[in-house]
Coordinates of all heavy atoms in Angstrom, one line a residue:
I3 N -33.7 -169.4 -29.0 CA -34.0 -170.4 -28.0 C -33.7 -171.8 -28.4 O -33.2 -172.6 -27.6 CB -35.5 -170.3 -27.6 CG1 -35.7 -169.1 -26.7 CG2 -36.0 -171.5 -26.9 CD1 -37.2 -168.8 -26.3
P4 N -34.0 -172.3 -29.6 CA -33.7 -173.7 -30.0 C -32.2 -174.0 -29.9 O -31.8 -175.0 -29.3 CB -34.2 -173.8 -31.4 CG -35.3 -172.8 -31.5 CD -34.8 -171.6 -30.7
N5 N -31.4 -173.1 -30.4 CA -29.9 -173.3 -30.3 C -29.5 -173.3 -28.8 O -28.6 -174.2 -28.4 CB -29.1 -172.2 -31.0 CG -29.2 -172.4 -32.5 OD1 -29.7 -173.5 -33.0 ND2 -28.8 -171.4 -33.3
L6 N -30.0 -172.4 -28.0 CA -29.6 -172.4 -26.6 C -30.0 -173.6 -25.9 O -29.3 -174.2 -25.1 CB -30.2 -171.1 -25.9 CG -29.7 -169.8 -26.3 CD1 -30.5 -168.7 -25.7 CD2 -28.2 -169.6 -25.9
M7 N -31.3 -174.1 -26.2 CA -31.8 -175.3 -25.6 C -31.0 -176.5 -26.0 O -30.7 -177.4 -25.1 CB -33.3 -175.4 -25.9 CG -34.0 -176.4 -25.1 SD -35.8 -176.2 -25.3 CE -36.4 -177.7 -24.5
K8 N -30.6 -176.6 -27.2 CA -29.8 -177.7 -27.7 C -28.5 -177.8 -27.0 O -27.9 -178.9 -26.7 CB -29.6 -177.6 -29.2 CG -29.1 -178.9 -29.8 CD -29.1 -178.8 -31.3 CE -28.8 -180.1 -32.0 NZ -28.9 -180.1 -33.5
A9 N -27.9 -176.6 -26.6 CA -26.7 -176.5 -25.9 C -26.8 -176.6 -24.4 O -25.9 -176.5 -23.7 CB -26.0 -175.2 -26.3
G10 N -28.1 -176.8 -23.9 CA -28.3 -176.9 -22.5 C -28.3 -175.6 -21.8 O -28.1 -175.6 -20.6
R11 N -28.5 -174.5 -22.5 CA -28.3 -173.2 -21.9 C -29.6 -172.4 -21.8 O -29.6 -171.2 -21.6 CB -27.2 -172.4 -22.6 CG -25.9 -173.0 -22.5 CD -24.7 -172.0 -23.0 NE -24.7 -171.9 -24.4 CZ -24.9 -170.8 -25.1 NH1 -25.1 -169.7 -24.4 NH2 -24.8 -170.7 -26.4
F12 N -30.7 -173.1 -22.1 CA -32.0 -172.4 -21.9 C -32.9 -173.3 -21.0 O -33.1 -174.5 -21.2 CB -32.8 -172.2 -23.3 CG -34.2 -171.7 -23.1 CD1 -34.4 -170.4 -22.9 CD2 -35.3 -172.6 -23.1 CE1 -35.7 -169.9 -22.7 CE2 -36.6 -172.2 -22.9 CZ -36.8 -170.8 -22.7
H13 N -33.5 -172.6 -20.0 CA -34.4 -173.3 -19.1 C -35.7 -172.6 -19.0 O -36.8 -173.3 -18.9 CB -33.7 -173.5 -17.7 CG -32.4 -174.2 -17.8 ND1 -32.3 -175.5 -17.9 CD2 -31.2 -173.7 -17.7 CE1 -31.0 -175.9 -18.0 NE2 -30.3 -174.8 -17.8
K14 N -35.7 -171.3 -19.0 CA -37.0 -170.6 -18.8 C -36.8 -169.1 -19.3 O -35.7 -168.6 -19.2 CB -37.3 -170.5 -17.3 CG -38.6 -169.8 -17.0 CD -38.8 -169.9 -15.4 CE -40.1 -169.1 -15.1 NZ -40.4 -169.1 -13.6
I15 N -37.9 -168.6 -19.8 CA -37.9 -167.2 -20.1 C -39.1 -166.5 -19.4 O -40.2 -167.1 -19.3 CB -38.1 -166.9 -21.6 CG1 -38.0 -165.4 -21.9 CG2 -39.3 -167.5 -22.2 CD1 -37.9 -165.1 -23.4
D16 N -38.8 -165.4 -18.7 CA -39.9 -164.7 -18.0 C -40.4 -163.5 -18.9 O -39.6 -162.6 -19.2 CB -39.3 -164.1 -16.7 CG -39.0 -165.2 -15.7 OD1 -39.9 -166.1 -15.6 OD2 -38.0 -165.2 -15.1
L17 N -41.6 -163.6 -19.3 CA -42.2 -162.5 -20.1 C -42.9 -161.5 -19.1 O -44.0 -161.7 -18.7 CB -43.2 -163.1 -21.1 CG -42.6 -164.1 -22.1 CD1 -43.7 -164.7 -23.0 CD2 -41.5 -163.4 -22.9
H18 N -42.1 -160.5 -18.7 CA -42.6 -159.7 -17.6 C -43.6 -158.7 -18.0 O -43.8 -158.4 -19.2 CB -41.4 -159.0 -17.0 CG -40.5 -158.2 -18.0 ND1 -39.5 -158.8 -18.7 CD2 -40.6 -157.0 -18.4 CE1 -39.0 -157.9 -19.5 NE2 -39.6 -156.8 -19.3
Y19 N -44.2 -158.1 -17.0 CA -45.3 -157.1 -17.2 C -44.7 -155.7 -17.2 O -43.9 -155.4 -16.4 CB -46.3 -157.3 -16.0 CG -47.4 -156.2 -16.0 CD1 -48.5 -156.3 -16.9 CD2 -47.4 -155.2 -15.1 CE1 -49.5 -155.4 -16.9 CE2 -48.4 -154.2 -15.1 CZ -49.4 -154.3 -16.0 OH -50.5 -153.4 -16.0
L20 N -45.1 -154.9 -18.2 CA -44.6 -153.5 -18.3 C -45.7 -152.6 -17.7 O -46.9 -152.9 -17.8 CB -44.4 -153.1 -19.7 CG -43.0 -153.5 -20.3 CD1 -43.0 -155.0 -20.6 CD2 -42.7 -152.8 -21.6
S21 N -45.2 -151.5 -17.2 CA -46.1 -150.6 -16.5 C -45.8 -149.1 -16.9 O -44.6 -148.8 -17.0 CB -46.1 -150.7 -15.0 OG -46.9 -149.7 -14.3
T22 N -46.8 -148.3 -17.0 CA -46.7 -146.9 -17.2 C -46.4 -146.2 -15.8 O -46.1 -145.0 -15.8 CB -47.9 -146.2 -17.8 OG1 -49.0 -146.4 -16.9 CG2 -48.3 -146.9 -19.1
G23 N -46.6 -146.9 -14.8 CA -46.5 -146.3 -13.4 C -47.8 -145.8 -12.9 O -47.9 -145.3 -11.8
L24 N -48.8 -145.9 -13.8 CA -50.2 -145.4 -13.4 C -51.1 -146.5 -13.6 O -51.5 -146.9 -14.7 CB -50.6 -144.2 -14.3 CG -49.6 -143.0 -14.2 CD1 -50.0 -142.0 -15.4 CD2 -49.7 -142.3 -12.9
K25 N -51.6 -147.1 -12.5 CA -52.4 -148.3 -12.5 C -53.7 -148.1 -13.4 O -54.1 -149.0 -14.2 CB -52.8 -148.8 -11.1 CG -51.6 -149.5 -10.4 CD -52.1 -150.1 -9.1 CE -50.9 -150.8 -8.4 NZ -51.3 -151.4 -7.1
P26 N -54.4 -147.0 -13.2 CA -55.6 -146.9 -14.1 C -55.3 -146.8 -15.6 O -56.0 -147.4 -16.4 CB -56.2 -145.5 -13.6 CG -55.7 -145.3 -12.2 CD -54.3 -145.9 -12.2
L27 N -54.2 -146.2 -15.9 CA -53.7 -146.2 -17.3 C -53.3 -147.6 -17.8 O -53.6 -148.0 -18.9 CB -52.6 -145.2 -17.5 CG -52.1 -144.9 -18.9 CD1 -53.3 -144.5 -19.8 CD2 -51.0 -143.9 -19.0

């Protein structure tokens, strides 16, 4: 990220939610 940002190539990272496919679990 630091190198990418210095080069103007980083703006945002999405830390997405993982799922088992079973909401109760």
Side-chain angles (χ1 to χ4, degrees):
I3 283 176
N5 285 349
L6 290 173
M7 195 166 169
K8 194 170 188 178
R11 293 192 289 120
F12 173 82
H13 302 287
K14 181 182 180 181
I15 183 168
D16 292 316
L17 301 176
H18 53 272
Y19 176 75
L20 277 74
S21 174
T22 63
L24 303 168
K25 286 187 178 180
L27 184 58

